[in-house]
Amino acid sequence: MVRAQALLGHTLGEVAAALGGRIDGESRSLKGRAGDLVERALGASAGSAAEPDFPALGIELKTIPVDERGSVSESTFVCTLQLARIADERWADSWVRRKLSCVLWVPVDAAPRPLTERRIGRARLWRPSPDEEVALKQDYDELAGRIGLGEIADLTAHTGRCLQIRPKGPDGSARTTALGPAGELVEVMPRGFYLRSSFTSALLQHA
Amino acid sequence: MVRAQALLGHTLGEVAAALGGRIDGESRSLKGRAGDLVERALGASAGSAAEPDFPALGIELKTIPVDERGSVSESTFVCTLQLARIADERWADSWVRRKLSCVLWVPVDAAPRPLTERRIGRARLWRPSPDEEVALKQDYDELAGRIGLGEIADLTAHTGRCLQIRPKGPDGSARTTALGPAGELVEVMPRGFYLRSSFTSALLQHA
DNA sequence: ACGGATCCATACCTGGATCCTG
DNA sequence: CAGGATCCAGGTATGGATCCGT
């Protein structure tokens, strides 16, 4: 937390310079760079799989784009759908719940200016409140239930008040195998769980 | 085959130049380069997994180092041991057999001179003869049997007349999980199947 | 001489997210 | 404006084999 507070008010360009890195190029070529940069700045174990960013602390790190009033401007990716496992996994043991059990949110200015000039906001360490967890569980159960019924191909991002399912892949032609309504194999685009910005905006206000 | 014959007598440097590539550096930094180069020269689908190099033809491509008399100077890697599957897989359905069912051998001069100066020999399209297949099957059954008994940790490259098992990994610290004699989990170095050079020397003489 | 150790290229997967068009 | 599409980095796995000490 001390390290995270120390970033408050600094631009991403300053952080990059301090770490000996650069963040140049088109904005669409920089999608994950702010996240990578803050991971390095805080000493997270980058790129490791199936573990929190700070394994010893059980903390997940997320940068989150906010406007001048503190509203979140984009949804937040949580994790990939594991189509093979989701039918057997209850909320209590789900990857989504583990990922969201303890998150360090680091707001980053989302104004339309060069990444190097955007400033880092006040970091918040968050655990879901009882109300938040109920809301997440309800969405999860509904989404997982529909997948269990083989309705994955018809599931859109419209379902879910705080948690939704959206495509997650290199492009629209990506395919993975899932089970259809009659138990048959169907090819669908890989998906991921995302948090709606209304949910993350609210939790940042509370925290 | 026409393309493969066309390479006869040319140096790897000539082939690299024709393809717009280079093969510089220390010899130990060039271990797989001859193979990569000949793949490109013959239009093989490089790097694809679980498929032959020429999927439509069912042909596997292997460059093989030979001395001036045509003797093979190194063993030939066949495939990785899949410790999880090998207990259930019979020779007839094994990855080893599929890999070796039809191979285009492209001899490459193994003399101790720069890779660019080494010459390509006469390519042979090979299928195992009945005798060769019996010999391979016997070795495979013995090796797979010992693995099935949980003896993987004690298996050395001494076992097998034509097919052997040797380490295959980035370095000696690599580890994978296997089953020991009492069904317990043991950590061992990843292994691969290899053909002894006596076997490949003989098959090149016949072909 | 050869068994154990090692080296490179490339594809693939996961984790980091934001882009952008109807 | 948000659902569907996409972009980059980095680690891991696989495929190409030969190196090299005992």
Side-chain angles (χ1 to χ4, degrees), chain A residues 5-59:
Chain A
Q5 305 297 0
L7 297 178
L8 175 61
H10 287 286
T11 65
L12 293 175
E14 291 169 350
V15 175
L19 294 174
R22 286 181 189 178
I23 40 178
D24 308 301
E26 299 288 316
S27 69
R28 71 175 185 183
S29 302
L30 297 170
K31 290 186 182 179
R33 303 300 297 278
D36 296 341
L37 196 58
V38 173
E39 279 187 343
R40 280 208 292 152
L42 299 183
S45 46
S48 79
E51 278 200 336
D53 295 302
F54 303 100
L57 303 173
I59 297 176

Side-chain angles (χ1 to χ4, degrees), chain B residues 32-123:
Chain B
R33 304 299 298 279
D36 296 341
L37 196 58
V38 173
E39 280 186 342
R40 281 207 291 150
L42 299 185
S45 47
S48 79
E51 279 199 333
D53 295 301
F54 302 100
L57 302 172
I59 296 176
E60 180 71 23
L61 174 63
K62 293 263 175 224
T63 57
I64 189 162
V66 296
D67 67 18
E68 54 287 335
R69 299 200 319 266
S71 286
V72 173
S73 57
E74 289 283 358
S75 58
T76 299
F77 174 67
V78 180
C79 60
T80 303
L81 262 82
Q82 304 195 289
L83 289 163
R85 295 190 195 170
I86 199 163
D88 304 323
E89 236 170 24
R90 298 292 155 239
W91 166 250
D93 309 308
S94 67
W95 191 8
V96 174
R97 184 171 184 240
R98 281 198 304 279
K99 276 276 191 178
L100 298 180
S101 64
C102 188
V103 179
L104 180 66
W105 298 99
V106 178
V108 173
D109 165 18
R113 57 185 154 220
L115 203 54
T116 51
E117 300 173 14
R118 299 192 197 174
R119 293 187 185 279
I120 295 172
R122 179 171 59 86

Side-chain angles (χ1 to χ4, degrees), chain A residues 80-196:
Chain A
T80 302
L81 262 81
Q82 304 195 289
L83 290 163
R85 294 191 195 169
I86 199 163
D88 304 323
E89 236 170 24
R90 298 290 156 241
W91 166 252
D93 310 308
S94 66
W95 192 7
V96 173
R97 185 172 184 239
R98 282 199 304 278
K99 275 275 188 179
L100 297 181
S101 64
C102 187
V103 178
L104 180 65
W105 299 99
V106 178
V108 173
D109 166 16
R113 56 184 155 219
L115 203 54
T116 50
E117 299 174 14
R118 299 191 197 175
R119 292 187 186 280
I120 295 172
R122 179 170 59 85
R124 277 89 146 184
L125 190 62
W126 170 80
R127 290 175 179 278
S129 70
D131 286 354
E132 287 165 340
E133 174 136 3
V134 166
L136 289 167
K137 178 181 188 310
Q138 286 180 354
D139 284 348
Y140 182 88
D141 288 344
E142 176 176 5
L143 293 165
R146 294 197 51 188
I147 294 169
L149 293 174
E151 299 176 5
I152 177 74
D154 304 320
L155 251 188
T156 69
H158 297 282
T159 302
R161 290 169 305 161
C162 53
L163 190 68
Q164 63 180 171
I165 285 180
R166 301 232 303 282
K168 169 69 170 161
D171 61 49
S173 69
R175 287 294 178 274
T176 190
T177 302
L179 291 179
E184 79 280 15
L185 297 177
V186 294
E187 298 287 300
V188 297
M189 199 176 161
R191 320 289 179 95
F193 285 104
Y194 293 77
L195 295 175
R196 290 187 187 276

Side-chain angles (χ1 to χ4, degrees), chain B residues 19-41:
Chain B
L19 294 174
R22 286 182 189 177
I23 40 178
D24 308 302
E26 299 288 315
S27 69
R28 70 175 185 182
S29 301
L30 298 170
K31 290 186 182 180
R33 304 299 298 279
D36 296 341
L37 196 58
V38 173
E39 280 186 342
R40 281 207 291 150

